[in-house]
């Protein structure tokens, strides 16, 4: 058959079925491994392929055995396929789209002829954990062995060019979330809605209905009725192709919503009052030799294929049934024209010993020794309760030998209920009665929980009436007997995704990995894409059998979220990372600024030539946008008390109009932040902090005021964003400011260094003008109400044109401040630098009654062994040691460079750094080790400042 | 995502708050020894059970308050306004 | 082999040579169908032991192993309230490295790396230590400076570490977004080739098998309920299976170490915080080195089986819950996709948590306590698994000889009242 032609193969498509989900009016073509196949609307990838007679969809993880469909649901372990750039698509759940390109994930060169299937013959030599026992020597070959192991890593392919796609999130506040849209879930949702609750009904499949969808006429009629009831209730929000992925503390529920046309996957975060878990039951495979051959399927798979997708699963079948669902499957098979060659009834001692075949089922050996030729084996040997969401709520499931499955115990949480198969068995009517009662009770509890939450909100409105508090009686469901069928007489696959057999588990137990947890970790059983739903109970049974303990004693492994896999995209949603700009940002962007990320701020690093910017500041005048500087407005009579408490220095004598520099330490004496404070009025101060410390300092102050001295009368208001801040620095700065400022006498006598004034700048009232240092030149820092920031900035640049004004950025400021020896907290200090280490002993007033850091600073002052911050001058001024270069004495580290730049003003490199106590004397020679290994000499300078240490230029 | 009942604002998602540490009494800085002071700074009770601690409603009322929480179940049994540097820890 | 201490009653529980693991062994047993013997044995709980180790994770088992092998102290019980390696040792993201900030830290973790490099051969158990390289990304100036600091300290100690730029990072990790478009563009990284990942369960099982072979008794499902102290010395340990008389007890627990220490009347400066982790489904291997970002608080590696393993910082408040949270996976996914935007379709399969004992200086607390005979190996925060071998070696020497080995001197409990905190803050937070 040519590659271009449509693959029709053996037509396994049946005529129209009463419950089918196909849209026969929509026919189209898709490709599988490069070949074209037909499909109907509503087909899944695997149902369309099965209709065309395909049976092999993947190769198993370790042994590369051919795998077909097993469950025909989302969970089907052999049906993970690659679609375009999307790996691990659940082929038995994902609907086919026209032109979709699907391919097998784990086979080379092709699905039919997979070279690595040679592994299956090595099975006996490659038990689980074989890699722990070998590949150890010679050691240098380990990377090579690893590459070999990686070749066998299963799964699809991630692509570096895959587009991110659109994902978003939604918050919801439903009264009741019902996880599971089968008959029990639907009935519970309706009952809850009729009792007044807002309900969210979440169903994993593409339609609601659960097992009713592939049932008989009666089931379909009941399904129709339930769907009508749901549709009639507008307070039920129905989400299909969606799944509750987690129940977290206080009923924080996560839902992955798929099937939206414009969103790849949406994460819904719901603070539900009550969760009703109604996930139904998952059919469990039977363990026997050959149980993973293509053609061995579960009864629910057969019924889905026939009734939902109109696909005949095979020609001639052997059925092993232990329950009513299995019996009903026989009817469906016969209706679909499958020859049922033999029925083994496990309730009467029937059994399947082994299945033989190469790439597909060929022959079954039954319990009585009979060998039947067939191409299809259908098993119905029991159910697994997916208790995961209940476990996340604290429930510990308990095994019931009578029902051969686990049940939840006492649900510990008020806000979590269970109904449907999780809670018990019974006829459809019995299950619906239980579900309706559960739904009604859920609504009642939700109302009560809601009232309690609202009562917790302080308000002046009268408290509402507590709603009626008598619980709705929920009848107990019967628990039917079911034969315990986990493993037959031979060994077979337990975990299909991980290729772990019952023999592997027994071997692990024998080697001492004899608890559920250890056996799981050793063999990796339950750690694959099916998350344990299909394999955990069988694994527990095998471990129990091998240890001789009961299943109750063996217990299960812990169920962990997410309940179903969810994309990273949905978890991430849209990337909301706020960015902060000053009002002058548009000017910077228009004028050649190289921008930098500084925490949450974006600001100019430089405008092309930082060294020229430095020279201009020292020669003429420069302006820098320092809006990110932290600013706090402090008002009240007790402000000096606060300053005295939080800073190491004294504040009580600070007069109106004066400014003082201060350092804040933490309770362990470590330097926290620094800045200048100005007194604007008798009870009005303005505090500045570092820009990165602004938020922390505010919370620090609030902590002390609220929890330590709530009696102090102080108001604190953050005004960082309320003012645009501009630093004007250079010999011409007074001249420049005089041209745009009003209402303030700018003469040196009236407005000396370390003072603050309020006045008019560029016609804007209520501006602050500070005379402070940082660059070492005559400078003024002006704070303009933010709305006028850009205007003030542009006015300055205009008026300063004749004075040689140029903007300068963070880099130039770094150089300027380093020339003046000003340390930067967090760069020239670290998380262990206590006050005296930074050279601020002049500021530390130990005679104050109390201040934060006092005890530790006192003790630091009494000892000597701490490193100190000093100025350092490399002997060769043309070498600029990178910051963090280490200072060494032989092989011992004796300090490091914390700040380092080439100084355009001095024409040589300058540094600050920490040195060991015995090296602090000015003039001491130290050795700096550069990153390339070269060692250079440097000397300790007398001051931190390399330029104008007396500060004459800034005091003028 | 646990719910914490802020004394001012009522029950809110824990992401609105910042955990501010186990409650502890601050020794008199003028009458303390290095051992006592550093025990205050560093040593914790760290119980697997009920604990008394401080939280801050950062994206809400911006007030500090005291919480009694069970560290295994994350159940919160009481929240109240802070007393000045609480006496002892639980 | 230093034999500083011969077990007092001369009892030698007997060294039983374990069946040798090898390719030949696999071949032979594959043919014959013979089973492998148990990796470690079960024993009755004796009423006394020379030494009792609390915690059968990597630290406890390594301590017992080296006590027996290096010091001839074989009358040792290792107690665990759960199964072997069920605590932090089974929940971490198995990253091994030595690129720390302080010289003492570097020397300590490097000794561990060296022990890990030889561990498969030493224990005859493949621990699958894959030294595929470790990258710590820097997204701002301060971070680049810290990376440079670490690189320089590392190099002075002879460790392979260097600061590299975006182009080299892209070559090592083609899936990484190293462009300027990122919200926090990558400015550089600390590249540490000897770092990598390991099969953490295998390390635990290997040490268990090795200790067992030397006669150590490993007691699972045995919970310590009290420690008897009289006149300032340890007298014994009480458990749910009976009491044990002993004069040496080592606390090698994580998560409950405050509780255990309190049994002996010792208070330690730790807060217990959950640390969460998660894995995705398998995809074909594409990520070679381990990638960590301090700014984005996330780390990523890919196992040989193809799963991506993720971690981030500890939870923001103390808790003994390992239930996990949604906000952790949300933040994590957001940051992973900032680094590698093309991975949005990958699905998260499983999340879990372990308990981390965080100390004020991001360094462990090891050595003697005011109670004679009660030793601690705690405070392991998020930096514990990588230190298993060196800690076991050092604690064994301390317990056997009574002398604190130099390599752990800076981690003493006394440093807190004496104000001598270790300066690792820059390196440990979110580096694993």
């Amino acid at each position: 058959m040519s590659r271009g032609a449509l693959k029709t193969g053996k037509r396994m498509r049946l005529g129209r079925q009463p419950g089918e989900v196909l849209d026969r009016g929509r026919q189209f073509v898709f490709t599988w491994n490069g070949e074209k196949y037909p499909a109907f609307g509503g087909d899944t990838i695997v149902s369309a392929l099965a209709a065309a007679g395909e049976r092999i969809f993947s190769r198993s993880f370790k042994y590369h055995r051919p795998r077909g469909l097993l469950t025909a649901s989302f969970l089907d372990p052999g049906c993970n396929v690659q679609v375009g750039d999307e790996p691990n698509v659940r082929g038995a759940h994902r609907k086919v789209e026209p032109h979709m390109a699907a391919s097998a994930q784990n086979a080379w060169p092709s699905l039919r002829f997979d070279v690595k299937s040679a592994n299956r013959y090595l099975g006996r030599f490659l038990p689980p954990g074989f890699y722990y026992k070998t590949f150890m020597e010679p050691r240098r070959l380990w990377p090579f062995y690893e590459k070999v192991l990686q070749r066998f890593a299963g799964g699809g392919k991630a692509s570096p060019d895959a587009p991110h796609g659109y994902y978003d999130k939604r918050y919801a506040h439903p009264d009741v979330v019902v996880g599971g849209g089968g008959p029990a879930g639907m009935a519970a949702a309706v009952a809850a809605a009729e009792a007044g609750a807002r309900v969210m009904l979440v169903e994993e499949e593409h339609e609601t209905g659960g097992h009713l969808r592939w049932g008989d006429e009666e089931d379909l009629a009941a399904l129709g009725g339930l769907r009508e009831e749901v549709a009639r209730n507008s307070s039920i929000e129905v989400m299909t192709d969606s799944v509750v992925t987690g129940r977290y503390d206080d009923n924080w529920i996560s839902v992955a919503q798929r099937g939206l046309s414009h969103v790849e996957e949406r994460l819904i975060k719901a603070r539900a009052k009550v969760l009703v878990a109604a996930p139904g039951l998952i059919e469990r495979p039977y363990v026997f030799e050959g149980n993973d051959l293509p053609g061995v399927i579960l009864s629910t798979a057969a019924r889905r294929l026939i009734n939902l997708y109109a696909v005949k699963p095979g020609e001639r079948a052997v059925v092993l049934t232990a329950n009513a669902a299995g019996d009903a499957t026989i009817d469906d098979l016969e209706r679909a024209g499958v020859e049922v060659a033999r029925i083994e009834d496990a309730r009467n001692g029937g059994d399947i010993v082994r299945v033989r075949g190469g790439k597909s089922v060929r022959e079954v050996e039954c319990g009585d020794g009979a060998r039947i030729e067939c191409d299809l084996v259908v098993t119905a040997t029991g159910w697994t309760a997916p208790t995961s969401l209940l476990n996340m709520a604290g429930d510990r499931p308990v095994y019931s030998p009578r029902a051969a499955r686990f049940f939840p115990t006492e649900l510990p949480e008020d806000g979590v209920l269970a109904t449907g198969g999780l809670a018990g068995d019974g006829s459809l009517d019995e299950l619906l009665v239980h579900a309706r009662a559960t739904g009604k009770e859920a609504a009642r509890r939700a109302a009560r929980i809601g009232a309690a939450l609202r009562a917790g909100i302080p308000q002046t409105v009268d408290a509402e009436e507590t709603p009626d508090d008598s619980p709705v009686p929920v009848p107990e469901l019967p628990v039917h007997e079911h034969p315990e069928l986990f493993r037959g007489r031979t060994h077979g696959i337990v975990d299909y995704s991980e290729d772990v057999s019952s023999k592997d588990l027994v071997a692990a137990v024998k080697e001492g990995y004899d608890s559920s947890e250890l056996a799981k970790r050793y063999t990796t059983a339950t750690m694959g894409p099916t998350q344990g739903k299909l394999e955990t109970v069988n694994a527990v049974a095998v471990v129990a059998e091998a240890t001789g303990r009961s299943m109750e004693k063996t217990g299960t492994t812990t169920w962990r979220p997410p309940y179903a896999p969810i994309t990273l995209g949905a978890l991430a949603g849209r990337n909301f990372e706020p960015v902060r700009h000053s009002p002058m940002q548009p000017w910077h962007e228009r004028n050649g600024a190289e921008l930098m990320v500084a925490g949450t701020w974006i600001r100019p690093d430089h405008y092309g030539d930082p060294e020229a910017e430095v020279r201009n500041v020292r020669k003429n005048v420069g302006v820098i946008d320092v809006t990110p500087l932290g600013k706090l407005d402090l008002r009240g009579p007790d402000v000096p008390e606060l300053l005295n408490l939080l800073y190491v220095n004294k504040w009580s004598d600070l007069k109106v109009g004066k400014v003082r520099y201060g350092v804040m330490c933490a309770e362990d004496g470590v330097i926290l932040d620094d800045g200048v404070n100005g007194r604007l009025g008798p009870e009005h101060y303005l505090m500045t902090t570092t820009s990165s410390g602004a938020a922390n300092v505010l919370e620090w102050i609030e902590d002390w005021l609220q929890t330590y001295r709530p009696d102090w009368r102080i108001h604190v208001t953050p005004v960082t964003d309320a003012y645009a801040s501009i630093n004007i620095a250079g010999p011409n700065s007074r001249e420049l400011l005089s041209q745009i400022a009003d209402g303030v006498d700018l003469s040196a006598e009236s407005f000396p260094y370390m003072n603050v004034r309020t006045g008019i700048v560029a016609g804007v009232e209520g501006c602050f003008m500070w005379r402070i240092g940082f660059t070492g030149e005559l400078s003024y820092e002006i704070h303009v109400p933010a709305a006028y920031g850009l205007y003030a900035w542009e006015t300055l640049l205009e008026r300063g044109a004749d004075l040689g004004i140029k903007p300068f950025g963070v880099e130039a400021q770094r150089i300027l401040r380093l020339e003046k020896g000003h340390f930067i907290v967090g760069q020239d200090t670290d998380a262990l630098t206590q006050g005296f280490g930074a050279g601020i002993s002049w500021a530390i007033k130990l005679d104050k009654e109390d201040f934060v850091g006092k005890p530790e600073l006192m003790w630091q002052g009494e000892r000597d062994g701490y490193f100190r911050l000093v100025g350092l001058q490399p002997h060769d001024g043309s070498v600029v040691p990178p910051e963090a270069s280490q200072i060494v004495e032989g092989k011992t580290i004796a300090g490091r460079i914390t700040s380092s730049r080439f100084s355009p003003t001095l024409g040589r490199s300058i540094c600050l750094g920490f040195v060991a106590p015995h090296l602090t004397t000015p003039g001491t020679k130290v050795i700096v080790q550069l990153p390339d290994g070269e060692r250079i000499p440097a000397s300790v300078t007398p001051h931190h400042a390399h330029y104008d240490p007396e500060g004459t230029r800034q005091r003028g | 995502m646990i719910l914490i009942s802020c004394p001012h604002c009522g029950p809110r998602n824990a992401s609105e708050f910042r955990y501010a540490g186990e409650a502890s009494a601050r020794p008199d800085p003028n009458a303390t020894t290095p051992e006592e002071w550093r025990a205050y700074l560093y040593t914790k009770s760290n119980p697997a059970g009920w604990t008394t601690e401080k939280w801050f409603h950062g994206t809400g009322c911006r007030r500090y308050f005291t919480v009694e929480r069970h560290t295994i179940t994350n159940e919160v049994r009481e929240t109240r306004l802070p007393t000045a540097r609480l006496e002892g820890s639980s | 082999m230093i034999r500083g201490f011969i077990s007092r009653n001369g009892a030698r529980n007997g060294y039983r040579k374990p069946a040798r693991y090898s390719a030949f062994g696999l071949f032979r047993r594959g043919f014959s169908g013979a089973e492998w013997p148990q990796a470690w044995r079960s024993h009755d709980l004796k009423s006394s032991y020379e030494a009792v180790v609390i915690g059968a994770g990597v630290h406890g088992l390594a301590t017992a192993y080296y006590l027996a092998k290096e010091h001839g102290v074989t009358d040792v019980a290792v107690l665990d309230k759960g199964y072997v390696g069920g605590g932090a040792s089974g929940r971490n993201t198995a990253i091994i490295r030595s690129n720390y900030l302080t010289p003492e830290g570097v020397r300590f973790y490097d000794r561990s790396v060296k022990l890990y490099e030889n561990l498969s051969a030493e224990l005859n158990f493949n621990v699958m230590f894959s030294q595929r390289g470790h990258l710590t990304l820097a997204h701002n100036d301060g971070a680049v400076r810290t990376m440079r600091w670490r690189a320089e300290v590392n190099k002075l100690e002879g460790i392979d570490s260097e600061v590299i730029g975006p182009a080299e990072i892209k070559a090592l990790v083609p899936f990484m977004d190293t462009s300027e478009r990122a919200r926090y563009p990558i400015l550089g990284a600390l590249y540490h080739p000897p770092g990598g990942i390991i099969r953490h369960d295998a390390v635990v099982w290997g040490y268990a098998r090795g200790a067992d072979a030397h006669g150590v008794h490993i007691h699972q499902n045995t919970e310590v309920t009290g420690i008897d102290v009289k006149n300032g010395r340890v007298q014994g340990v009480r458990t749910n299976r009976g009491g044990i008389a002993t004069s040496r007890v080592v606390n090698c627990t994580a998560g409950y170490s405050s509780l255990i220490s309190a049994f002996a009347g010792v208070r330690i400066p730790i807060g217990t915080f959950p640390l969460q982790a998660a894995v995705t489904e398998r995809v074909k291997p594409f990520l070679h080195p381990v990638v960590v970002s301090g700014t984005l608080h996330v780390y990523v590696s890919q196992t040989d089986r193809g799963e991506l393993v993720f971690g981030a910082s500890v939870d923001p408040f103390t808790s003994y819950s390992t239930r996990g949270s949604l906000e952790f996976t949300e933040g994590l996914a957001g940051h992973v996709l900032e680094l590698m935007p093309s991975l949005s379709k990958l699905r998260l399969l499983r999340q879990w948590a372990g308990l981390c004992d965080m100390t004020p200086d991001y360094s462990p607390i090891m050595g003697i306590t005011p109670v004679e005979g009660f030793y601690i190996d705690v405070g392991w925060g998020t930096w514990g698994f990588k230190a298993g071998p060196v800690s076991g070696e050092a604690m064994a020497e301390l317990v056997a000889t009574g002398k604190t080995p130099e390599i752990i001197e800076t981690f003493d409990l006394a440093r807190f009242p004496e104000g001598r905190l270790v300066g690792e803050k820059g390196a440990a937070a979110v580096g694993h």
Side-chain angles (χ1 to χ4, degrees), chain A residues 86 88 90 132-134 146 156 164 169 248-249 269 498 511 531 561 566 568-569 578 883 931, chain C residues 22 39 117 126 130 132 145 155 183 199 281-282 284 304-305 323 330 344 346-349 351:
Chain A
E86 187 182 350
N88 302 323
R90 299 328 201 245
Y132 297 130
K133 299 187 165 78
T134 183
E146 222 190 341
H164 186 287
K169 300 186 186 182
Y248 298 92
D249 286 350
K269 295 186 272 187
E498 299 296 293
E511 268 187 69
Q531 301 176 295
I566 178 171
L568 295 179
E883 290 169 345
Chain C
S22 65
E117 284 171 353
N126 194 350
S130 176
R132 43 177 71 185
R145 241 188 322 268
K155 287 188 292 189
R183 172 66 180 85
R199 183 79 185 92
E281 303 171 311
R282 289 190 288 263
K284 298 262 181 264
D304 289 332
R305 287 152 38 92
R323 289 186 295 278
E330 290 180 84
S344 56
L346 260 52
R347 289 183 198 83
L348 207 76
L349 207 57
Q351 66 174 117

Side-chain angles (χ1 to χ4, degrees), chain A residues 509-808:
Chain A
V509 167
K510 293 238 158 70
E511 268 187 69
Y513 304 94
D514 58 358
S515 60
S516 287
E517 275 289 341
L518 282 172
K520 156 192 141 186
R521 284 162 184 271
Y522 191 72
T523 61
T524 75
T526 78
M527 292 173 78
T530 43
Q531 301 176 295
K533 290 176 194 159
L534 223 50
E535 56 271 354
T536 295
V537 177
N538 281 337
V540 170
V542 172
V543 170
E545 186 197 338
T547 56
R549 285 187 227 119
S550 68
M551 274 184 71
E552 292 99 307
K553 276 230 149 60
T554 306
T556 69
T557 57
T558 316
W559 292 95
R560 303 191 192 279
Y563 172 76
I566 178 171
T567 58
L568 295 179
L571 289 169
R574 289 170 293 172
N575 193 353
F576 294 132
E577 286 266 15
V579 161
R580 295 165 86 177
H581 294 150
S582 92
M584 289 81 91
Q585 184 72 3
W587 191 94
H588 302 314
E589 289 179 5
R590 280 196 318 263
N591 286 279
E594 250 328 287
L595 300 170
M596 66 182 283
V597 173
T600 48
W601 295 88
I602 305 284
R603 46 192 310 208
D605 193 27
H606 60 83
Y607 298 83
D609 186 352
E611 292 189 4
E613 290 166 27
V614 168
R615 283 190 290 269
N616 190 62
V617 166
R618 297 249 181 259
K619 182 158 175 284
N620 302 317
V621 60
V623 279
I624 178 171
D625 179 354
V626 291
T627 302
L629 185 76
K631 301 177 275 283
L632 294 170
D633 183 295
L634 304 168
R635 294 188 203 222
D638 296 320
V639 172
E641 306 290 336
L642 178 71
L643 299 179
N644 279 332
L645 177 67
L646 296 187
Y647 286 99
V648 300
N649 40 341
K650 289 180 174 171
W651 298 88
S652 305
D653 61 342
L654 189 70
K655 300 199 172 11
V656 175
K658 292 275 183 251
V659 173
R660 184 167 294 164
Y661 168 76
V663 175
M664 268 187 202
C665 290
E667 296 253 67
D668 56 0
V670 170
I671 296 177
L672 203 61
D673 205 78
D674 68 348
V676 293
N677 291 350
R679 188 171 187 181
L680 299 169
E683 293 187 358
H684 186 195
Y685 293 72
L686 197 62
M687 176 191 283
T688 68
T689 73
T690 62
S691 61
S692 51
N696 288 343
V697 170
L698 175 58
E699 282 186 26
W700 183 240
I701 291 174
E702 284 172 315
D703 189 353
W704 287 95
L705 287 180
Q706 292 174 27
T707 68
Y708 191 66
R709 293 305 298 264
D711 57 310
W712 282 348
R713 296 153 297 171
I714 301 175
H715 285 290
V716 186
T717 312
V719 293
T720 302
D721 300 331
Y723 291 93
S725 308
I726 302 166
N727 200 289
I728 308 164
N732 298 341
S733 52
R734 182 180 284 123
E735 174 66 39
L736 174 59
L737 189 59
S738 68
Q739 293 193 25
I740 68 165
D742 247 318
V744 174
D745 183 346
L746 294 174
S747 67
E749 304 76 40
S750 297
F751 192 171
Y753 180 59
M754 294 304 270
N755 272 249
V756 64
R757 302 283 181 268
T758 310
I760 297 167
V761 171
V764 180
E765 296 196 2
C767 296
F768 306 115
M769 289 168 261
W770 306 64
R771 258 199 78 185
I772 48 180
F774 195 51
T775 57
E777 295 304 311
L778 173 66
S779 67
Y780 298 83
E781 189 164 290
I782 57 174
H783 294 184
V784 177
Y788 297 100
L790 180 58
Y791 171 66
W793 175 267
E794 288 177 331
T795 306
L796 271 168
L797 283 157
E798 198 195 298
R799 300 289 171 82
D802 303 331
L803 298 166
I805 193 173
K806 281 204 178 7
F808 66 104

Side-chain angles (χ1 to χ4, degrees), chain A residues 830-861:
Chain A
D830 60 50
L832 289 177
T833 309
Q834 292 171 310
F836 286 103
I840 52 155
S841 40
W842 55 269
I844 302 173
K845 306 295 184 204
L846 292 173
D847 57 337
K848 277 201 295 183
E849 170 65 25
D850 179 20
F851 65 91
V852 179
K854 179 178 176 183
E856 285 291 352
L857 287 172
M858 232 167 52
W859 301 322
Q860 184 188 27

Side-chain angles (χ1 to χ4, degrees), chain C residues 196-263:
Chain C
I197 55 176
I198 201 165
R199 183 79 185 92
H200 52 84
D201 288 326
V203 175
V204 168
W205 298 333
Y207 269 123
R209 177 166 168 264
D212 170 85
H214 280 92
V216 169
H217 286 194
I218 299 171
H219 297 282
Q220 300 178 78
N221 301 307
T222 307
E223 183 173 354
V224 170
T225 55
I227 298 175
D228 294 324
V229 174
K230 203 163 100 162
N231 299 325
R233 323 172 70 135
V234 167
Q235 308 291 325
V237 162
R238 273 173 279 139
T239 79
N240 62 349
R241 285 171 64 200
I244 303 170
T246 184
S247 59
R248 268 166 253 269
V249 173
V250 195
N251 182 357
C252 289
T253 60
Y256 288 88
S257 43
S258 287
L259 183 74
I260 301 288
S261 298
F263 284 154

Side-chain angles (χ1 to χ4, degrees), chain A residues 10-14 17 47 50-51 53-55 57 69-70 72 294-307 309-317 319 329 332-340 360-361 374-378:
Chain A
K10 247 188 347 181
R11 279 333 232 38
M12 303 302 278
R13 184 77 77 181
L14 299 166
Q17 304 295 309
S47 70
E54 293 297 340
R55 285 200 136 198
F57 304 115
L69 66 84
L70 175 73
V296 177
I297 70 177
L298 304 184
S299 71
T300 44
R303 301 189 80 192
R304 282 169 188 264
L305 284 171
I306 294 168
N307 296 306
Y309 301 107
V311 173
K312 192 173 169 190
E315 299 293 350
R316 190 165 197 265
V319 179
T329 309
D332 285 346
L333 286 167
E334 286 172 346
R335 229 181 0 94
V338 178
E339 182 194 344
V340 180
S360 185
V361 172
C374 61
D375 69 347
L376 181 67
V377 176
V378 180

